Amino acid sequence: MAKESGKAFDFKLFKRLLAFTNAYRGTFYFVAFAAIAMSGLAVLSPHLLRLAIDNAMFNRDLPLLQYYLMLMLGVLVLEVFFQLSFIYYANWLGQNVIKDIRVKLFKLMTSFKMKYFDKSAVGRLTTRAVNDIETISSIFSQGLFMIISDLLKMLTIAGVMLYMSWRLSLIVFAILPLIIYATRVFQRAMKVAFEEVRNQVANLNSFVQERITGMKIVQIFTREETEYKRFIDINQKHKKAWVKTVWYNSIFFPIAEMASSIAIGLIVWYGGLNAAEGGVITLGIVTAFIQYSQMLFRPLRQIADKFNTLQMGMVAANRVFGILDTKSHISNEGEKVLTDAKGAIAFENVRFGYNEKEEVIKDISFKVYPGETIAIVGATGAGKSTIINLLNRFYEINSGTIKVDRVDIKEYTLASLRSQIAVVLQDVFLFADTILNNITLNDTNISEEEVIEAAKAIGVHKFITSLPNGYHYNVKERGSMLSSGQRQLIAFLRAYVSNPSILILDEATSSVDSYSEEMIQAATDKITQGRTSIVIAHRLATIKKADKILVMDAGKIVESGTHLELLERPDGYYKNLYEVQFMTEEAI
Ligand SMILES: Nc1ncnc2c1ncn2[C@@H]1O[C@H](COP(=O)(O)OP(=O)(O)O)[C@@H](O)[C@H]1O
Ligand SMILES: [Mg+2]
């Protein structure tokens, strides 16, 4: 990940961000133009007011006065027009840019290898993809153009003021340092205060989120009162942090108002005196100056804020680009397209570890012939599930070869390889969607009829139709409305409709109720029929039916053979396992 930029303004980063506006070039130029036009127009109306007072009112020239009024009205209309379109299109641009960045980021993330996700916290990635990108939009909507517009406006105003009366200008400029100083002090204080607010908000969020997810624990151990008290405490801190920002605001704004009032007072005092003595300063100039000084001070107070916004956006952009620059893909250089695989699998001296230090698969070799079902058994952590990860190329092996249909799997395109393999994982993941969509995974080539047909074939149709809404039952977050056995059945169906050449099942270790168990067994029989299957088996029924059993221990295959063959080995690992684990199961 790229280092966070400490610079106030990172030009390279900025250029890269601007590249995202290329698709909206017309809008970009229009917004820039509107910003410039706004600053020009803003300067015009006080000037027209001055002319109206000095030239028309004092000379009692009604037509001229009407003329100026019309001009002022015209300026106002233009101002409204540019302001309106500026706000709309600057935000429109920001939203379009972040939409593009977000889509790009998501697409990239879907191709990252599993190792990347092992190392990155889900919360952080989500924050990058959602919140950080949101912050980027403010560069366009509030930061960049606003700053340019404000700076331009201030420069023009200062110029016009100097041109109108350098004496009065000097008086107004004399107040500037006071405002700038006050603004800086305020900004620094606010920065610290907001840091604290953000921390407290994060605390509050994670507290509430955790208690809601873990509400069962809270209630089982009757911790309601304790948690309630802790929550009061956290809330107190949160409130305190906010009140501090309110306090700073309530000091700063009156002070800023006061400074600008002082400036106006001085303008009236000096200008009035000069005008009364018949000097060069006219009433029109004094009026214009009052307006100009306010127009000068207001953006000054906000400009630091806008710089902050810009900076925050840039920091966010830097983080997001950090992910966009991540090169973490499984190499996809194979060109062979695997279709209608026969399903021969061979592991040849495969070695693998999730990290360098620890080898999880230690020199494993085995063969599965087309149509065979093999069972892998072994203790937790032996490396059974890892075998699946390797066959799918979720991880790159360290050495050895894995072949499907006698060809190294690296020579196939990733997509074609994976399309031939269906996996039912140990923990079934369901999206917060209907059962139907969870089965087809939104593949429109699979019709509802086909799904129902498949469900009948593996014997789960009745179970699904017994749910409210049947196939259109929404399973909510992570499928929490279903039991683990029911989730597994859905996963079976998901695998079955994809009609894979190779099927892999990672049986759930947790016991399921006997009704689901029966259905799962029937489904397993049906779905493994006539196709190459690897079953990481915990149920004796599955193991017994397998053509071959591989017994794994600590990353090695320690025994292999059929159920009966393995039982014949005196002191065999499998025999031992069988006696400890399954004899009781069989007795029931
Ligand atoms: N994503 C991962 N990152 C790092 N280590 C892992 C990961 N997944 C599994 N392991 C480790 O690899 C070993 C084998 O795990 P696994 O194949 O899941 O075992 P099994 O399925 O036989 O219970 C274990 O020691 C486990 O801690
Ligand atoms: Mg496992």
Side-chain angles (χ1 to χ4, degrees):
M1 194 152 290
K3 242 176 44 209
E4 288 200 358
S5 161
K7 276 181 278 179
F9 198 80
D10 186 335
F11 217 78
K12 251 167 91 184
L13 187 70
F14 187 65
K15 250 175 83 181
R16 193 167 168 195
L17 196 61
L18 274 192
F20 278 93
T21 62
N22 282 350
Y24 313 101
R25 189 156 273 173
T27 314
F28 181 84
Y29 286 132
F30 176 74
V31 171
F33 175 73
I36 295 169
M38 264 160 49
S39 56
L41 288 169
V43 178
L44 257 177
S45 43
H47 183 63
L48 287 173
L49 182 66
R50 177 218 158 173
L51 293 177
I53 294 176
D54 287 349
N55 298 352
M57 274 165 69
F58 277 106
N59 300 330
R60 297 176 190 278
D61 188 342
L62 195 61
L64 193 62
L65 185 66
Q66 277 169 340
Y67 168 71
Y68 282 132
L69 281 178
M70 288 313 285
L71 275 184
M72 283 165 79
L73 190 68
V75 168
L76 186 69
V77 169
L78 279 178
E79 246 184 316
V80 168
F81 168 76
F82 279 116
Q83 206 151 32
L84 189 147
S85 36
F86 174 81
I87 294 172
Y88 181 78
Y89 284 108
N91 279 284
W92 183 92
L93 189 68
Q95 289 303 327
N96 271 287
V97 165
I98 65 170
K99 176 203 75 189
D100 292 351
I101 297 180
R102 199 175 270 149
V103 167
K104 192 169 171 181
L105 187 72
F106 183 78
K107 175 131 196 283
L108 191 77
M109 277 183 177
T110 58
S111 68
F112 281 168
K113 55 185 173 193
M114 286 304 139
K115 202 163 190 160
Y116 180 83
F117 297 104
D118 288 348
K119 281 189 295 190
S120 321
V122 180
R124 267 204 16 208
L125 286 182
T126 316
T127 309
R128 294 288 177 274
V130 181
N131 301 38
D132 281 346
I133 293 186
E134 200 67 57
T135 314
I136 294 178
S137 84
S138 59
I139 291 184
F140 296 96
S141 57
Q142 290 158 41
L144 179 65
F145 297 115
M146 287 286 200
I147 289 175
I148 293 176
S149 170
D150 282 352
L151 283 178
L152 263 177
K153 200 189 278 182
M154 286 178 351
L155 275 177
T156 334
I157 289 174
V160 173
M161 281 167 95
L162 276 173
Y163 166 76
M164 271 191 192
S165 160
W166 63 269
R167 282 174 233 264
L168 274 185
S169 304
L170 288 187
I171 289 178
V172 174
F173 295 166
I175 306 290
L176 279 181
L178 176 67
I179 296 218
I180 292 174
Y181 177 74
T183 309
R184 286 198 68 131
V185 172
F186 172 67
Q187 287 300 335
R188 285 209 189 110
M190 280 302 262
K191 202 170 166 196
V192 177
F194 262 124
E195 202 83 27
E196 178 65 14
V197 166
R198 264 196 295 275
N199 280 339
Q200 292 305 334
V201 168
N203 279 349
L204 200 60
N205 274 343
S206 66
F207 187 87
V208 172
Q209 194 189 354
E210 271 181 30
R211 299 315 116 157
I212 288 176
T213 3
M215 192 55 83
K216 230 181 205 161
I217 304 293
V218 173
Q219 294 185 353
I220 286 173
F221 292 94
T222 55
R223 285 297 183 277
E224 293 92 335
E225 198 59 30
T226 341
E227 295 301 323
Y228 171 67
K229 288 204 178 107
R230 285 179 63 190
F231 189 63
I232 291 182
D233 193 44
I234 291 177
N235 247 311
Q236 190 68 24
K237 287 189 182 135
H238 176 254
K239 183 209 74 186
K240 225 167 144 180
W242 266 115
V243 167
K244 207 168 197 173
T245 69
V246 175
W247 170 234
Y248 289 144
N249 268 313
S250 43
I251 307 181
F252 174 71
F253 283 99
I255 288 184
E257 262 330 298
M258 202 175 71
S260 101
S261 300
I262 291 176
I264 292 172
L266 288 175
I267 291 168
V268 173
W269 172 67
Y270 183 81
L273 224 66
N274 188 293
E277 286 169 358
V280 282
I281 297 171
T282 62
L283 181 59
I285 292 182
V286 170
T287 319
F289 257 74
I290 290 173
Q291 286 196 351
Y292 279 138
S293 68
Q294 279 175 325
M295 282 165 71
L296 191 64
F297 291 157
R298 200 163 303 134
L300 201 65
R301 294 202 303 242
Q302 293 164 356
I303 210 157
D305 249 352
K306 285 167 189 161
F307 266 114
N308 269 350
T309 310
L310 187 67
Q311 175 114 34
M312 265 156 61
M314 297 296 262
V315 170
N318 199 28
R319 286 187 195 145
V320 171
F321 287 153
I323 302 183
L324 281 178
D325 290 339
T326 308
K327 302 233 174 343
S328 190
H329 311 273
I330 290 282
S331 73
N332 190 5
E333 278 152 13
E335 284 171 0
K336 290 190 179 151
V337 176
L338 183 63
T339 44
D340 295 319
K342 289 189 195 69
I345 300 169
F347 272 56
E348 294 169 1
N349 306 101
V350 174
R351 286 180 177 275
F352 168 75
Y354 288 99
N355 44 50
E356 286 89 52
K357 284 182 221 115
E358 199 188 6
E359 212 168 43
V360 171
I361 298 294
K362 299 166 186 157
D363 197 16
I364 276 189
S365 302
F366 67 88
K367 271 199 173 101
V368 189
Y369 297 103
E372 252 188 352
T373 298
I374 67 153
I376 305 180
V377 299
T380 310
K384 305 181 297 293
S385 300
T386 305
I387 300 262
I388 303 179
N389 287 337
L390 299 183
L391 186 59
N392 270 302
R393 285 195 70 206
F394 282 141
Y395 296 87
E396 220 61 277
I397 56 178
N398 298 352
S399 65
T401 331
I402 301 174
K403 289 179 178 167
V404 168
D405 285 5
R406 295 161 181 264
V407 175
D408 189 331
I409 52 173
K410 281 184 190 158
E411 292 180 31
Y412 296 121
T413 63
L414 261 186
S416 76
L417 173 71
R418 288 179 184 164
S419 74
Q420 295 294 307
I421 304 174
V423 184
V424 177
L425 290 175
Q426 211 164 354
D427 321 297
V428 176
F429 185 89
L430 296 180
F431 296 94
D433 204 338
T434 61
I435 298 223
L436 185 66
N437 286 340
N438 264 299
I439 292 165
T440 63
L441 295 180
N442 297 311
D443 180 347
T444 45
N445 290 323
I446 306 172
S447 69
E448 186 168 350
E449 286 70 40
E450 280 174 77
V451 172
I452 294 175
E453 216 44 55
K456 282 179 180 158
I458 64 169
V460 297
H461 177 69
K462 247 168 110 180
F463 146 64
I464 296 177
T465 44
S466 73
L467 296 168
N469 272 336
Y471 288 86
H472 295 278
Y473 177 63
N474 195 317
V475 299
K476 303 282 157 59
E477 287 290 308
R478 288 177 161 256
S480 57
M481 315 277 278
L482 299 172
S483 75
S484 65
Q486 292 172 322
R487 286 206 295 269
Q488 191 115 34
L489 286 171
I490 305 227
F492 269 97
L493 196 49
R494 189 193 269 170
Y496 190 66
V497 293
S498 76
N499 195 21
S501 307
I502 297 169
L503 180 85
I504 303 176
L505 301 181
D506 203 342
E507 280 187 349
T509 26
S510 58
S511 55
V512 294
D513 58 286
S514 53
Y515 176 63
S516 297
E517 166 91 42
E518 222 169 87
M519 274 198 287
I520 288 177
Q521 207 51 61
T524 309
D525 289 349
K526 176 77 193 172
I527 170 173
T528 54
Q529 224 171 57
R531 72 180 99 224
T532 310
S533 316
I534 300 180
V535 185
I536 295 171
H538 297 289
R539 295 184 187 86
L540 188 60
T542 321
I543 300 170
K544 271 177 153 176
K545 277 183 203 148
D547 297 303
K548 190 160 64 187
I549 301 165
L550 304 178
V551 184
M552 278 189 79
D553 185 35
K556 287 188 181 140
I557 294 178
V558 288
E559 286 171 8
S560 71
T562 63
H563 176 68
L564 291 176
E565 281 167 11
L566 289 176
L567 279 187
E568 273 166 22
R569 296 192 184 191
D571 260 356
Y573 188 98
Y574 181 79
K575 187 169 192 276
N576 198 9
L577 189 81
Y578 175 77
E579 277 162 5
V580 174
Q581 201 177 324
F582 298 130
M583 290 287 265
T584 42
E585 193 179 311
E586 231 174 2
I588 295 171

